[in-house]
Amino acid sequence: MPSPAPTVLWFRRDLRLADNPALVEAVGEARATGGDVVGLYVLDPALWASAGPVRQAYLARSLRALAASTGGRLVVRHGDPRSVLPRVCAETGARSVHVAASYEPYGRRRDDAVEAGLAAADVTLRRTGSPYAVAPGRVLTRGGTPFQVFTPFRTAWLEHGWRAPAPLPDDVAWAALASDGLPDAPDPGAELPAAGEAAAHDRWQAFLADGLADYPTDRDRPDLAGTSHLSPALKWGEIHPRTLLADLAAAVRSGAVPDEAAATYRSELAWREFHADVLFHHPGAAQRSLRAVVPEDAWATGAAEERLLAAWREGRTGYPMVDAGMRQLLATGWMHNRVRMIVASFLVKDLHVRWQRGAEHFMARLVDGDVSQNQLNWQWVAGTGRDAAPYFRIFNPVTQGVKFDPDGEYVRRWVPELRGLAGKAAHEPWKAPGNAPGYPERIVDHATERKVSLEDFAHGRS
Ligand code: FAD
């Protein structure tokens, strides 16, 4: 008698076994039919190329961890999912493919095409869950329209609520199938955090125990380890936000953390859900401003733009807070959120370079680079998003530095040329000539460029 056909679990941005509803569905179906589960990852050349060496290296490590937790049964196939999925199903006789739904533009197009291709062979693509606590598109105003503004979205999102984490299935019968093998991890040229589901849980538990209580006060301080560093794990789905939300609620119930700390962290997760929701409703926001705020001729162009962009990318603008952030990004593939806002504001409003150029560099270097979070946060800083910081709110890189890195420790850590300057003096090296040898002069004058931006904004509105 032929053995029962397996079912396929196609991993994408959900590189974990715990709290994985699509896995629960796949296992349930396999048990009902007596088949086993093909744990499949498709190395899509289009996504691989756009990931850049930092995310490629992280992904390769995360896949290695996932392969280990499937007892070495993870099947990796290289190629376009539109052709790989039908091939795997034809090879194994599988009648269904389980996934967590994708919501970003590329993932939606890919899944629709895969679904159609599979349907032609009488195979069903089954979507269960998503990378979010509440799937994008679900939280709507009372009038049934998408939210434009974060705070009411968050209120409605909290009211909507989310499911409890999905149970971890025991003894999954992973199918043995030929694999093209794990991708070679390129040299990321940066020191990356540990990848994989176990590392994500360890990081989260350590933060719950030691970081969360102080999160409301420390989260804006790049000189302190005040945030959870979970963004790469969330980006790759090594841990699900629902797990985090359930643990937050439990920590409050047990009295381990104050309600305010949990609420502040929950609110940051709500930003992640909001940006995914905005991109779902406005897929064009990945490339285009949701609204224009300055005239087209306000932007730097040609050689001047390239020169400014190069100084910004390499962390040699002469503004310590900007340069520290850009060098932290190059060295680690990550940058503190406060500093991301400062460097983004500086690029758009001091250097007059379009946000898309900055977003492109971030996507090339960030280990947590994610199209919805990156593009929408850039639009927020640039003032071009729906619910964005007003364009006239222009970060002053010096006062931001003094406020959020009061002893200058963050800037001295990433910009060694500033190590001869004590305390907050490191934020204004031009006041102590000769004490920061090798550190560049300021490429622009912030006060002057601020005025230029405000004039551009006034013209943009007239
Ligand atoms: P924590 O402070 O511990 O926050 C916990 C989680 O909440 C984060 O992991 C993240 O998932 C979410 N979160 C926190 N802040 C934000 C925010 N502003 N927007 C959305 N979600 C948030 N985040 C990405 O994950 N990928 C990106 O590509 C990305 N690009 C950004 C670009 C710019 C210009 C800016 C200003 C922010 C960007 N962010 C991005 C958001 C934020 O900077 C990072 O999520 C955060 O720094 C990650 O560090 P953490 O995990 O220690 O955060």
Side-chain angles (χ1 to χ4, degrees), residues 163-298:
R163 289 172 198 272
L168 174 69
D170 46 27
D171 279 343
V172 181
W174 296 106
L177 205 66
S179 172
D180 293 342
L182 292 163
D184 286 332
D187 177 4
E191 210 166 303
L192 301 183
E197 184 173 7
H201 280 269
D202 288 351
R203 197 168 303 128
W204 171 235
Q205 289 305 328
F207 179 74
L208 267 180
D210 283 337
L212 183 60
D214 296 324
Y215 185 70
T217 48
D218 290 356
R219 57 180 282 268
D220 264 327
R221 291 277 303 271
D223 55 331
L224 307 175
T227 68
S228 67
H229 286 259
L230 276 173
S231 50
L234 286 165
K235 147 84 200 174
W236 294 107
E238 296 165 333
I239 196 164
H240 195 278
R242 203 176 26 230
T243 303
L244 308 184
L245 289 160
D247 288 351
L248 285 174
V252 171
R253 271 198 308 276
S254 72
V257 293
D259 199 15
E260 187 213 346
T264 307
Y265 195 86
R266 205 161 36 230
S267 183
E268 294 310 309
L269 293 177
W271 271 109
R272 178 175 182 271
E273 309 246 331
F274 176 63
H275 290 318
D277 188 73
V278 174
L279 188 65
F280 173 71
H281 291 292
H282 306 280
Q287 284 95 30
R288 290 186 302 279
S289 295
L290 285 168
R291 56 196 175 114
V293 281
V294 297
E296 272 300 295
D297 63 1

Side-chain angles (χ1 to χ4, degrees), residues 207 215 219 226-232 234-235 265 268-269 271-273 275 334-338 340-341 344 362-363 366 368-371 373-375 377-378 380-381:
F207 179 74
Y215 185 70
R219 57 180 282 268
T227 68
S228 67
H229 286 259
L230 276 173
S231 50
L234 286 165
K235 147 84 200 174
Y265 195 86
E268 294 310 309
L269 293 177
W271 271 109
R272 178 175 182 271
E273 309 246 331
H275 290 318
W334 185 88
M335 193 195 301
H336 188 277
N337 180 60
R338 168 65 41 183
R340 292 189 204 202
M341 293 195 281
F362 267 35
M363 281 308 277
L366 276 174
D368 61 23
D370 177 293
V371 69
Q373 306 311 319
N374 191 54
Q375 312 306 88
N377 267 294
W378 270 94
W380 186 87
V381 177

Side-chain angles (χ1 to χ4, degrees), residues 95-117:
R95 314 266 17 115
S96 60
V97 173
H98 292 265
V99 293
S102 281
Y103 286 89
E104 68 284 5
Y106 178 83
R108 279 162 73 183
R109 279 198 308 277
R110 175 202 56 204
D111 287 358
D112 289 348
V114 168
E115 184 172 36

